[in-house]
Amino acid sequence: MRKVILPICLMLGACVAGGPAEQSTRTATQTANILPVMKAFSAPRPVPPSRSNRDIHRDFMELVFQLESGRALTTFTRFEGPITVRVTGNPPPNLGPDLNRLMHRLRTEAGIEIDRISGPYANITIQAVSRADIRRHLPKAACFVVPNISDLSEYRMAKRGRTTNWSSLKKREKLAIFLPNDASPQEVRDCLHEELAQAIGPLNDLYRLPDSVFNDDNVHTVLTGFDMLILRAYYAPELHNGMTRGQVAARLPAILTRLNPAGDQVAPRHLPPTPRAWIRAVQTALGPGARPAQRRAAANEAVKIAQAMGWTDHRRAFSHFALGRLSQGSDPALARAHFGLADKFYRQTPGTALHQAYAASHLAAHAISRGQGEEALARIAPHIATAERHENAALLATLLMLRAEALDLTGRVSEAQAVRMDSLGWARYGFGADWAVRAKLREISSLSPLKGPNG
């Protein structure tokens, strides 16, 4: 299931101490009152994986033969033959187009036969329901996928038995995905990508992966080039239902050589496993339920574990990022230091361009709060194209709003207004409701010292 970790961790919110949100400029207020049409991304531009096939072999085996809880799976399962998908419930307007785009990618990039149908039965039922309905069943989930049912009304009774137990499956024939119909278009799409990928493919998530939706850090929200390779291998003709871990492991090297020949020429990195203690600390820090002091203590613990493990990869960076995110309200200087460390470790880890964009958004916000417009512009500039390439409208809108504030600080007011207006079309997809778009604009506007009581 997709955790409700993203709004807590990655959105800019409460970036630094500053003036009240209502102290936005007249220009920003006027802009927010004239919201343009929602923008949409064009053709996807996934980046092929650049890692060693030996690393990908290890990734595949851990994704396929282990659940997120750490429990081992003994049997390989997938759909055999063409996969059919139907949509029920009350789907939001964007669900249909986003589902069609995703299925086209699965057919063309992963080689999976998958089609949408309108009949009463399909292999996969996507039911659009309210967030409240989802959380009545799973309070910590934004969306989830379940085997052997087709309606949310069946879940309460079915979850007590073996019917919905993934470890009991011998093959996949019928599954249901439950998505929110009252979330932002981007959140609905993000759920769609992650849950459909798990419905047809691996069930596990690994924090070790820097370039995948199969990672609970939720940095990547649409299927990546790595993910499509994993799914293509998952449906390779050499594999079939009922195979053991050893049987799959024996056939996988030849499959990866055929599908990703360049990966045979790359040296493996052999990143160490992620200890459960670090995972628990991150989940406490960024998941629901903990008090602010508990969150900060857990984030500190994640940093300490990462340091003790000697990590210098994206997990070390994410530890600092989480602590920076949770320190903003109480200690902006400390937060800025940890965002700087996150940026440092992300920069030395391959495949983390999107992670770097998130770190840059926070560092740019701190620069704006200090009136340093040119520094903010320099930090933002390399990452706008990254956010667009990864189809992250919320991040793209945030970066553009920050750029507009930085342009105002440097006296380029008309350019700032144009950039601010451009941000709103993306914000409508990324943040959804008009009030949410306006709230984000006011939040970012309030960072600038020009927008204080005397600004």
Side-chain angles (χ1 to χ4, degrees), residues 141 175 225:
L175 296 103

Side-chain angles (χ1 to χ4, degrees), residues 399-428:
L399 290 169
L400 290 171
M401 290 178 188
L402 289 167
R403 185 166 185 262
E405 295 304 322
L407 288 168
D408 272 340
L409 285 172
T410 59
R412 296 150 67 182
V413 177
S414 59
E415 186 179 352
Q417 178 66 356
V419 171
R420 189 175 288 114
M421 182 62 73
D422 186 37
S423 74
L424 298 179
W426 296 114
R428 297 194 75 177

Side-chain angles (χ1 to χ4, degrees), residues 283-367:
Q283 290 174 341
T284 300
L286 302 176
R291 295 188 297 273
Q294 292 174 313
R295 293 187 191 282
R296 289 192 295 273
N300 267 301
E301 180 65 17
V303 169
K304 290 177 182 177
I305 293 172
Q307 290 171 331
M309 294 290 293
W311 291 345
T312 59
D313 58 36
H314 58 286
R315 293 170 296 180
R316 172 72 178 273
F318 190 68
S319 304
H320 289 291
F321 187 94
L323 185 52
R325 181 65 182 82
L326 294 169
S327 302
Q328 292 177 125
S330 58
D331 193 339
L334 178 65
R336 186 169 66 249
H338 280 287
F339 287 132
L341 287 168
D343 182 62
K344 169 190 170 183
F345 288 112
Y346 281 141
R347 285 179 181 275
Q348 62 190 48
T349 304
T352 61
L354 187 57
H355 304 68
Q356 293 172 41
Y358 275 112
S361 71
H362 286 273
L363 291 168
H366 280 276

Side-chain angles (χ1 to χ4, degrees), residues 1 39 83 106 110 139 172 194 212 304 311:
M1 67 180 180
K39 291 192 175 184
I83 302 170
L106 290 170
R172 301 190 198 184
E194 181 164 345
S212 174
K304 290 177 182 177
W311 291 345

Side-chain angles (χ1 to χ4, degrees), residues 121-177:
Y121 173 81
N123 298 120
I124 299 172
T125 298
I126 299 172
Q127 187 175 27
V129 298
S130 71
R131 283 179 287 193
D133 285 338
I134 289 174
R135 290 177 188 173
R136 270 194 288 272
H137 293 82
L138 285 177
K140 296 182 180 181
C143 44
F144 63 103
V145 58
V146 184
N148 295 322
I149 65 172
S150 57
D151 191 276
L152 190 59
S153 63
E154 305 172 40
Y155 180 63
R156 187 178 297 278
M157 292 299 296
K159 71 178 181 180
R160 299 191 181 100
R162 291 174 57 85
T163 304
T164 59
N165 189 334
W166 288 102
S167 61
S168 300
L169 285 187
K170 301 302 179 185
K171 57 183 177 179
R172 301 190 198 184
E173 295 179 309
K174 181 174 75 169
L175 296 103
I177 295 171

Side-chain angles (χ1 to χ4, degrees), residues 20 57 281 329 340 396:
H57 184 287
L396 178 57

